[in-house]
Amino acid sequence: MKLITFTNKGIYCPQGKFYIDPWRPVDLAVITHGHADHARWGMKKYLCHHFTKPILKKRIAEDIECQTLQYGEVLNINGVKLSLHPAGHIIGSAQIRLEYKGYVSVISGDYKVQDDGLSTPFELVKCNEFVTESTFGLPIYNWLEVDDLNKRMQSWVLRNQENQKTSVFIGYSLGKAQRVMKAVEGIGKIHVHYSIGKLNQAFEEVGIQLPDYEVPDFRENIKHVAGDIVIVPPALLDSNVIKKIPDAATAICSGWMQVRGARRWRSADAGFAMSDHADWKGLLQAIKATEAEIVHVTHGQTEVFSKYLNEIGIKSDVVETLYGDDDEEETEKEIIKD
Ligand SMILES: [Zn+2]
Ligand SMILES: [Zn+2]
């Protein structure tokens, strides 16, 4: 049984006649989540989770045709039973479960098994065939517990407050920024860049509660943010926007911060290894729990990770896709330019 095939347009389900996260225009695109490399422009029709729709509308176009599902709701498409299950990656992110004649395939998109307190927690879905990402598929990637990480971020802010510094967090607009807001909720006034404000609005439209924040106009005088918490996207690192913030202490929030000396991050004062992807243990935990007979490895540490799976007795292969290892960065460029 082949319920999915890997084509030059994307992951295809021939029985259902639809694509999952395609990178070329198709008639029906089932979308795992709102990051730009997974949710692209030009599809005749989109199908995604209820929370992802406002993100697609903001990012792609207001007038796209978009059908939504809740987690667990089953839709029959040409005889294929399709349902979405929480992927825990960002708000609205979903694993796509397909069932046809008793055979089950799950395409997980991007996922993390840690509960970030904001995204619907990852759900383990048993299947015959599993498609996994491998962004952080090396043993060196080991995230702190979310509570520990949040406490470290809070202490950093409190220390900055004592030293009359402004705490400036640098994190992706879609996912990371909202997690930072949640992590520092209640310990200081939060200001976010308008690109983050725009996405926050998309979440609020579908009823997601976010901590209070303000959206200052960075083109104007922003002296009034002194001593507070400011969140800006990575595209603005080293930009004049950050230079305008009075007495700024900067911290980058990214899974890549686990690797010391990453050149691009050198200009920041602090780093927090906060990621929306599963770490090494998380990937293995999720994959083992699926009990899949075959695991297809996409974007990230594909070769090494797939080889390791085969070594521990899980049949695996590498699949070429056009998803980015740094998907959020793509999204970022799009958001900043408009
Ligand atoms: Zn993503
Ligand atoms: Zn991805």
Side-chain angles (χ1 to χ4, degrees):
M1 169 91 61
K2 257 200 173 1
L3 193 44
I4 48 170
T5 58
F6 298 92
T7 74
N8 59 4
K9 289 181 182 167
I11 303 172
Y12 183 58
C13 173
Q15 292 88 346
K17 300 187 176 59
F18 55 79
Y19 288 82
I20 291 138
D21 293 354
W23 45 84
R24 287 198 197 152
V26 300
D27 286 346
L28 177 56
V30 184
I31 302 296
T32 59
H33 67 288
H35 280 145
D37 56 330
H38 290 260
R40 292 176 194 246
W41 176 88
M43 312 299 160
K44 219 172 239 168
K45 189 179 168 184
Y46 295 83
L47 176 67
C48 62
H49 187 268
H50 172 63
F51 291 158
T52 301
K53 182 175 174 178
I55 303 170
L56 300 191
K57 289 198 158 223
K58 284 236 159 29
R59 275 209 26 244
I60 298 169
E62 274 300 326
D63 60 354
I64 53 166
E65 195 190 333
C66 185
Q67 184 183 352
T68 65
L69 289 174
Q70 301 287 359
Y71 292 125
E73 195 180 335
V74 179
L75 183 69
N76 193 310
I77 309 177
N78 302 317
V80 177
K81 282 187 211 160
L82 178 148
S83 52
L84 308 182
H85 301 267
H89 173 55
I90 57 168
I91 294 171
S93 66
Q95 309 176 68
I96 316 291
R97 181 188 187 274
L98 306 176
E99 183 180 342
Y100 184 76
K101 294 186 175 167
Y103 189 87
V104 178
S105 298
V106 171
I107 300 96
S108 57
D110 290 340
Y111 65 94
K112 74 167 175 296
V113 292
Q114 276 188 321
D115 179 357
D116 63 21
L118 205 58
S119 318
T120 311
F122 179 84
E123 181 188 321
L124 290 170
V125 186
K126 291 209 190 315
C127 56
N128 301 94
E129 178 180 40
F130 188 61
V131 181
T132 184
E133 56 137 321
S134 58
T135 308
F136 292 105
L138 291 177
I140 49 164
Y141 294 109
N142 256 305
W143 313 142
L144 286 175
E145 294 294 326
V146 172
D147 280 350
D148 291 345
L149 178 67
N150 289 356
K151 272 184 204 134
R152 288 190 190 194
M153 293 166 73
Q154 290 159 9
S155 327
W156 184 72
V157 171
L158 295 173
R159 231 178 13 253
N160 290 335
Q161 287 172 349
E162 278 165 25
N163 300 322
Q164 275 84 43
K165 291 226 163 205
T166 311
S167 303
V168 181
F169 287 98
I170 294 135
Y172 293 114
S173 307
L174 180 51
K176 223 62 68 64
Q178 291 77 25
R179 282 183 65 188
V180 174
M181 289 172 65
K182 195 86 190 156
V184 299
E185 183 174 16
I187 60 168
K189 196 165 174 186
I190 301 173
H191 307 267
V192 304
H193 185 256
Y194 82 95
S195 59
I196 297 167
K198 202 167 109 175
L199 288 162
N200 286 353
Q201 232 174 33
F203 290 131
E204 284 154 357
E205 276 168 27
V206 286
I208 290 166
Q209 291 264 332
L210 293 171
D212 290 337
Y213 62 93
E214 280 185 10
V215 186
D217 189 342
F218 283 89
R219 291 164 304 186
E220 303 289 316
N221 188 334
I222 50 159
K223 288 213 163 64
H224 68 283
V225 305
D228 295 344
I229 298 159
V230 183
I231 311 172
V232 299
L236 296 180
L237 186 65
D238 300 325
S239 73
N240 282 326
V241 168
I242 291 186
K243 291 190 188 106
K244 276 182 169 182
I245 300 171
D247 304 311
T250 53
I252 291 165
C253 304
S254 163
W256 306 112
M257 291 311 292
Q258 187 111 27
V259 186
R260 291 283 144 202
R263 235 182 80 215
R264 55 214 269 223
W265 302 133
R266 250 179 224 162
S267 46
D269 300 311
F272 296 103
M274 172 190 266
S275 176
D276 283 328
H277 295 270
D279 63 3
W280 171 256
K281 275 191 228 142
L283 288 168
L284 293 174
Q285 182 198 336
I287 289 167
K288 284 177 188 164
T290 64
E291 295 173 13
E293 296 135 30
I294 174 80
V295 176
H296 307 292
V297 181
T298 66
H299 59 318
Q301 312 292 339
T302 48
E303 297 292 340
V304 184
F305 191 64
S306 178
K307 189 165 172 265
Y308 179 78
L309 290 179
N310 281 307
E311 276 166 16
I312 59 167
I314 298 170
K315 198 174 152 206
S316 165
D317 58 16
V318 172
V319 171
E320 293 301 327
T321 61
L322 288 191
Y323 310 132
D325 296 352
D326 226 349
D327 49 1
E328 297 91 344
E329 211 153 5
E330 286 297 314
T331 317
E332 220 52 64
K333 284 176 206 145
E334 244 174 71
I335 295 167
I336 303 295
K337 74 170 190 266
D338 60 38

